[in-house]
Amino acid sequence: MSTHAPVRPSYAAVLRLPGARRAFTAALTARLSYGTVSLAVMLSVTRATGSYAVSGMVMSLFGAASVFLMPVRGALIDRQGPRRALAPMALLYGALLTLLAALTWRPGTPVALLAAAATLAGACTPPLGPTMRALWAELASDRHLLQRAYSLDGVAEELLFVSGPVLVGVLTGFAPPAAGILLSALLITAGTGVFVASPVLPGPRPATRGARPGGVSGLLAPAAVALCVGLALSGVDLLTMAYASAHGYDTDLVPWALGALSAGSALGGLANGAVRWTAPARTRLARFSVALGLVVAVAGLAPDLWVLTAALALAGVFVAPTLTTAYLAADESVTAESRTQAGAWVNMGVNAGSSAGALVTGLLIGRMPLGVCFLVAGSTALVSAAMAGAGGLLRPRRG
């Protein structure tokens, strides 16, 4: 744990933490791969097979292996240390992505081979986000400074997922889509290589019996909130497209509306990190989730696309604070020996929710009025708020 003198909790102070700037830059470089790989794989498999159904199946296998095995990979990093576990994981992941790029470079590869390569690659996805957040907790001994660090990390990650598809779009303008998979492999291996070389990374930790009592139950609520946020947001993506079509708007305007959601999230994340909160994480998590759910629930009442865009921007203001607080609450529920795994559970929640939300919303659209669909999407966040506020589930454990 860092022993330097306390610093004023600001974003500049976060980046002045010893070794933080180098490690954070390297981690962001590697995590940019997550913003490029999904679109690159989808385009490459579609081109190689000529089938959207096959592409969707391959993407589902890749995503499921990546998401649902994340806590297992996080636990491995906690036990072995990031240097010993993360570097081989990234090299294997990069090699499997390279294999998938080779398989999709030209048509004709058997579908079973594509599915196997994608599943194996997903199973090896390095949990760089949880690892970086665990490192922030090592570097920032002050909880207010850690809140700033998590907010900065969340906003940066949001920007990566916005810029990644744009980067793939530029690359595929003059190269085959499989080149995007190769770019993803290069980013993850190079960025992780620099990251694990950082001198501030902790080594392996011995297993202890001192896990905080109730730590598992303490993880339940932040993971559930993250799951419901993912459900709501992926539902909003489809609902915005359906709203534009139903009201006769050009669907080219939809990315701008969804961009307002991302912009609101970035601003909300920065504002959340700047506030010196006195309420405990459990209370803040419930409040942020309620606010997000209410805005999404009433967004379907918007009389036109412009009002809907404003509503999405307002909803976005609560997205990053909700997720940042979920990570903080998870961190408070475990000892230092389990920080990466704790963050991985929250990460798994939001990604699993995003996948399931698109499926559920797709089934609801056309069967229910759009206003009711928005209400259902918002209600998921309200349900998670009730879990976050349930007595004792998120009470910080000290000692």
Side-chain angles (χ1 to χ4, degrees):
M1 185 69 69
S2 175
T3 59
H4 64 281
V7 291
R8 184 173 66 86
S10 67
Y11 289 114
V14 169
L15 295 176
R16 284 198 299 266
L17 289 168
R21 193 173 302 175
R22 171 183 170 181
F24 188 40
T25 301
L28 288 181
T29 300
R31 290 158 73 183
L32 179 58
S33 171
Y34 302 149
T36 60
V37 70
S38 294
L39 179 59
V41 170
M42 182 186 71
L43 293 176
S44 300
V45 175
T46 301
R47 180 180 177 183
T49 64
S51 170
Y52 287 105
V54 170
S55 179
M57 181 268 292
V58 170
M59 284 298 301
S60 295
L61 292 172
F62 176 77
S66 177
V67 170
F68 292 110
L69 291 177
M70 188 170 291
V72 176
R73 296 189 297 268
L76 180 63
I77 289 172
D78 280 328
R79 287 196 303 269
Q80 301 296 325
R83 286 194 186 89
R84 187 180 296 177
L86 198 57
M89 205 178 293
L91 288 172
L92 183 56
Y93 177 71
L96 288 166
L97 285 184
T98 301
L99 172 62
L100 186 59
L103 293 174
T104 57
W105 200 270
R106 290 185 176 85
T109 302
V111 171
L113 194 54
L114 294 176
T119 303
L120 289 174
C124 299
T125 307
L128 281 158
T131 305
M132 185 66 226
R133 280 182 282 269
L135 179 59
W136 283 127
E138 291 281 336
L139 297 175
S141 56
D142 178 79
R143 297 301 295 180
H144 295 289
L145 189 59
L146 179 59
Q147 177 185 305
R148 286 263 184 167
Y150 276 15
S151 295
L152 178 64
D153 190 280
V155 170
E157 189 172 61
E158 182 84 28
L159 295 176
L160 292 181
F161 278 94
V162 170
S163 59
V166 175
L167 186 57
V168 172
V170 172
L171 182 62
T172 55
F174 58 87
I181 303 180
L182 290 178
L183 173 64
S184 303
L186 176 62
L187 287 169
I188 201 79
T189 52
T192 303
V194 177
F195 179 67
V196 298
S198 172
V200 297
L201 257 66
R205 296 183 184 276
T208 68
R209 297 180 181 178
R212 294 172 184 168
V216 173
S217 63
L219 288 175
L220 175 61
V225 169
L227 174 72
C228 292
V229 168
L231 281 166
L233 293 181
S234 61
V236 164
D237 288 351
L238 280 178
L239 289 171
T240 303
M241 177 68 74
Y243 182 99
S245 299
H247 290 78
Y249 290 99
D250 188 340
T251 54
D252 289 343
L253 295 173
V254 171
W256 293 97
L258 297 179
L261 179 69
S262 297
S265 180
L267 293 174
L270 292 172
N272 174 63
V275 175
R276 194 176 182 89
W277 299 102
T278 56
R282 174 176 62 88
T283 302
R284 301 201 312 272
L285 185 60
R287 290 173 180 173
F288 287 142
S289 192
V290 165
L292 173 62
L294 288 176
V295 176
V296 171
V298 301
L301 301 177
D304 55 50
L305 186 62
W306 317 118
V307 175
L308 177 61
T309 300
L312 294 181
L314 180 59
V317 168
F318 301 105
V319 171
T322 303
L323 294 176
T324 296
T325 307
Y327 283 115
L328 282 169
D331 181 75
E332 291 176 356
S333 301
V334 298
T335 58
E337 292 79 10
S338 302
R339 276 175 171 153
T340 307
Q341 186 181 18
W345 277 103
V346 177
N347 202 305
M348 184 190 75
V350 69
N351 284 289
S354 296
S355 299
L359 174 62
V360 172
T361 306
L363 294 175
L364 292 179
I365 293 175
R367 292 178 171 84
M368 304 175 70
L370 283 179
V372 176
C373 292
F374 273 99
L375 180 61
V376 171
S379 296
T380 61
L382 296 176
V383 169
S384 71
M387 292 193 65
L393 278 180
L394 278 177
R395 189 172 292 115
R397 312 287 177 176
R398 303 294 182 186

